[in-house]
Amino acid sequence: MKKRPLILVTNDDGIAAPGIRALIEVMKEIGDVIVVAPDNRQSGKGHAVTIDATLFYNRINIDDQVTEEYSCSGTPVDCIKLAVNEILKKKPDICVSGINHGSNSSVNVIYSGTMSAAVEAGIEGIPAIGFSLCDYSWDADFETIKEHVKTITVNTLKNGLPEGVVLNVNFPKLKKEEIKGIKICRQANARWVEEFDKRTNPQGREYFWLTGKFINSDKGEDTDEWALANGYISIVPVQFDLTAHHAIQTLNTWELND
Amino acid sequence: MKKRPLILVTNDDGIAAPGIRALIEVMKEIGDVIVVAPDNRQSGKGHAVTIDATLFYNRINIDDQVTEEYSCSGTPVDCIKLAVNEILKKKPDICVSGINHGSNSSVNVIYSGTMSAAVEAGIEGIPAIGFSLCDYSWDADFETIKEHVKTITVNTLKNGLPEGVVLNVNFPKLKKEEIKGIKICRQANARWVEEFDKRTNPQGREYFWLTGKFINSDKGEDTDEWALANGYISIVPVQFDLTAHHAIQTLNTWELND
């Protein structure tokens, strides 16, 4: 690369989260960094956009870094839209999202604000990567994975991404020397079985907290879940053409126009 | 079908919207209906789930119908999770979502609460359809499309859906006699170009409303956008395995493990 790339950084845990601070540090070694991230926790917001409310953003300064940073009142997807259309003066060379505190493997890609931000950047024609560490703790150790984050980002800048594709990268919670390498994977066919925690409020009304158990019934050794369980970093290429092309022929046999 | 199917109905415009009232009327002709829908507007909420706040639901009665109806404080996806895990006594035979006031064709499928509810039902293993009418008006005319909604639902109950696939059905805003038929389509490669409406609040602070222009640069005649523009109802089979399988081989040529 002749000149330093412009890198847009976001996340869904909020702009002050340790995960995004670690990501910013790595990105500053690669290029010029602009951060546009939610001002509070936006986990599980999926691809939500704010259309029934107003949006604000503020220039802020965290960690006394010289990096240009903006906190935004909206969802991760709002952050990308505001960044690209209002804040940035030119299109970034890449967008990185995360590092998420917790897994975004398999079906979690659909609920994840971190990955939805990357997908939105992809829709805008920007190469994009979502990074997640399989450790939900606020004190998760991001040091061990920084080198890999750099390698994957540099490779993406060098090679580009196929059109309509962004990367979903998940790191196992392991010591540096325990990580066996990187595997390109497919999304495991897994899902959450909800277990609502039912409680009663002081007024006697029932309310619920969403909780659940993650069930992976996919035995394939080419899945992200297999890779993570076996000591590998998983990379799943993710697309936003949701068409089930293989189903079109079947549906064309239905008697819909009789 | 030997016995009347159990039909779960939801939407993202809120339980009192004319679109869901029309959908309920059609479904009562087909089977036993239970409604679990948001208590207010949840448009553009994508696949958001409520994990940082509590959820409530209430048994309610609208239109003096005998139908069992529940309004829920969460997102469309929360409604499906609550319905399946807390409210329903058995798994529904089908889930229908909508009828949305406005298009969910092409890339809108990703932002749509209506379609995310259908996708969530699909993840739970329930055949699911999202219905949308390309008319954003609250007074949109749903009468003209009721017969088609019934045909598509009855066919889905009869034929079943391929595993991991739900249907995204969009209706053009046309008179009954102007609709040419139903086409099975792929999602058009289109996107929104945002145009933020910047304003200043009474305290002098800038804020933004998200607005945008829909750009379809996909010339294909097999897309949902083409079908709708040419007088057809579009059905896109939608999948929630987001893996870009065609990109795995390319990514395996990268030097990530050296």
Side-chain angles (χ1 to χ4, degrees), chain A residues 162-165 237-239, chain B residues 243-251:
Chain A
E163 205 191 319
V165 171
V238 165
Q239 63 191 359
Chain B
T243 312
H245 290 276
H246 64 280
I248 288 179
Q249 203 180 341
T250 305
L251 291 174

Side-chain angles (χ1 to χ4, degrees), chain B residues 10-14 23 38 42-47 75-77 80 95-104 108-121 128-133 166-170:
Chain B
T10 193
N11 76 343
D12 76 354
D13 291 316
L23 187 57
Q42 294 281 324
S43 300
K45 284 296 167 75
H47 215 95
T75 65
V77 173
I80 299 298
C95 170
V96 292
S97 181
I99 302 168
N100 194 61
H101 293 245
S103 166
N104 280 320
N108 297 305
V109 64
I110 291 178
Y111 305 96
S112 161
T114 299
M115 277 310 299
S116 292
V119 166
E120 182 63 25
I129 314 171
F131 293 105
S132 305
L133 174 61
V166 302
L167 301 184
N168 182 16
V169 181
N170 281 270

Side-chain angles (χ1 to χ4, degrees), chain A residues 29-229:
Chain A
E29 295 173 13
I30 301 174
D32 296 328
V33 173
I34 294 184
V35 182
V36 181
D39 58 13
N40 65 5
R41 205 166 110 92
Q42 294 282 325
S43 300
K45 286 295 167 73
H47 215 93
V49 286
T50 302
I51 51 181
D52 287 335
T54 55
L55 290 169
F56 292 85
Y57 69 82
N58 283 313
R59 175 93 192 245
I60 62 163
N61 200 347
I62 299 185
D63 297 343
D64 282 333
Q65 292 178 347
V66 290
T67 314
E68 198 175 326
E69 300 202 33
Y70 301 87
S71 74
C72 167
S73 64
T75 65
V77 173
D78 291 332
C79 288
I80 299 298
K81 288 183 181 290
L82 272 172
V84 172
N85 296 284
E86 282 291 328
I87 300 173
L88 299 182
K89 284 173 190 65
K90 60 172 198 146
K91 190 170 168 178
D93 297 293
I94 195 166
C95 170
V96 291
S97 180
I99 303 171
N100 193 61
H101 292 245
S103 168
N104 280 320
S105 58
S106 76
V107 77
N108 297 304
V109 66
I110 291 178
Y111 305 96
S112 162
T114 299
M115 277 309 300
S116 292
V119 167
E120 182 63 25
I123 292 172
E124 298 268 6
I126 302 161
I129 314 171
F131 293 105
S132 306
L133 173 61
C134 295
D135 184 347
Y136 289 90
S137 164
W138 201 249
D139 303 320
D141 181 10
F142 294 101
E143 282 304 318
T144 56
I145 62 171
K146 277 183 170 173
E147 203 179 301
H148 295 295
V149 168
K150 188 172 179 180
T151 301
I152 294 165
T153 306
V154 168
N155 263 275
T156 304
L157 281 163
K158 192 178 81 182
N159 299 309
L161 285 175
E163 205 191 319
V165 171
V166 302
L167 301 184
N168 183 15
V169 181
N170 282 268
F171 296 93
K173 184 186 170 180
L174 289 175
K175 294 203 185 78
K176 201 167 182 172
E177 63 276 16
E178 291 170 335
I179 294 180
K180 288 188 195 150
I182 297 172
K183 275 208 186 297
I184 313 300
C185 307
R186 66 173 173 84
Q187 174 185 326
N189 181 10
R191 67 189 191 96
W192 287 88
V193 175
E194 280 70 37
E195 294 171 344
F196 284 96
D197 183 344
K198 191 200 287 192
R199 302 186 182 190
T200 307
N201 78 1
Q203 288 75 41
R205 189 174 171 202
E206 276 180 357
Y207 67 95
F208 299 85
W209 288 101
L210 174 60
T211 69
K213 207 162 44 185
F214 185 70
I215 308 284
N216 179 20
S217 49
D218 190 332
K219 300 272 188 288
E221 298 194 355
D222 55 348
T223 70
D224 49 3
E225 290 302 326
W226 187 93
L228 292 163

Side-chain angles (χ1 to χ4, degrees), chain A residues 241 243 245 248 252, chain B residues 183-189 218-228 230 234-237:
Chain A
D241 174 2
T243 312
H245 290 276
I248 289 179
N252 270 321
Chain B
K183 274 208 188 295
I184 313 299
C185 307
R186 66 172 172 86
Q187 173 186 326
N189 182 10
D218 191 332
K219 300 272 188 285
E221 298 194 355
D222 56 348
T223 71
D224 49 3
E225 290 303 325
W226 187 93
L228 291 163
N230 286 275
S234 67
I235 302 185
V236 176

